[in-house]
Amino acid sequence: MALPKLTKLEMQIMEALWSRGACSVREIQETFPEKHRPAYTTVQTTVYRLETKKALRCVKRISNANIFEAAITRDEAQGRLIDELLGFFGGRTKPVMAHLIGTGKLTLEDVKEAEQALRKLARKEKP
């Protein structure tokens, strides 16, 4: 199954489910900061769209409230976003890395972790 493309609001809703577990629409809405909290109906509509995209699923119903949980993992959603971002650069990673370095968002520790992951991957690929 292809991973769904998620909007910023959809990602915020998914983040609420990943961090809190199964929630009702009201509980999801209340995870937003009060100053920037979307209307209940906006969250509700977005949750049902996410259900249609199969990014989350209804796991039970309590009275008239549906309880939802994430159907995709955070890693899967982030991977889709990263692949999409790299698509803008023709799959090239250098422009992204240069930007991260230039803004100070890529640390030496990040580079060391990446190097370890690449070495581990290279060992797995050797016959």
Side-chain angles (χ1 to χ4, degrees), residues 13 16-29 31 47 56-60 65-70:
I13 288 170
L17 293 169
W18 291 322
S19 57
R20 295 185 65 179
C23 294
S24 68
V25 172
R26 175 70 63 205
E27 291 169 325
I28 293 168
Q29 185 211 19
T31 65
V47 163
L56 55 76
R57 62 181 157 257
C58 182
V59 290
K60 64 182 166 183
N66 290 328
I67 307 299
F68 297 91
E69 72 178 7

Side-chain angles (χ1 to χ4, degrees), residues 49-115:
R49 285 185 183 150
L50 284 165
E51 185 178 31
T52 300
K53 291 180 175 185
K54 300 195 183 317
L56 55 76
R57 62 181 157 257
C58 182
V59 290
K60 64 182 166 183
R61 185 170 178 87
I62 299 173
S63 185
N64 64 344
N66 290 328
I67 307 299
F68 297 91
E69 72 178 7
I72 61 173
T73 67
R74 181 184 280 123
D75 287 343
E76 289 171 329
Q78 288 174 345
R80 164 72 196 247
L81 275 175
I82 292 167
D83 290 344
E84 195 175 306
L85 173 68
L86 290 176
F88 287 117
F89 296 98
R92 297 183 339 257
T93 58
K94 284 184 181 179
V96 177
M97 298 297 285
H99 176 75
L100 292 173
I101 291 167
T103 59
K105 292 181 180 173
L106 184 68
T107 66
L108 192 54
E109 184 64 31
D110 294 332
V111 172
K112 287 177 183 176
E113 284 181 35
E115 189 176 21

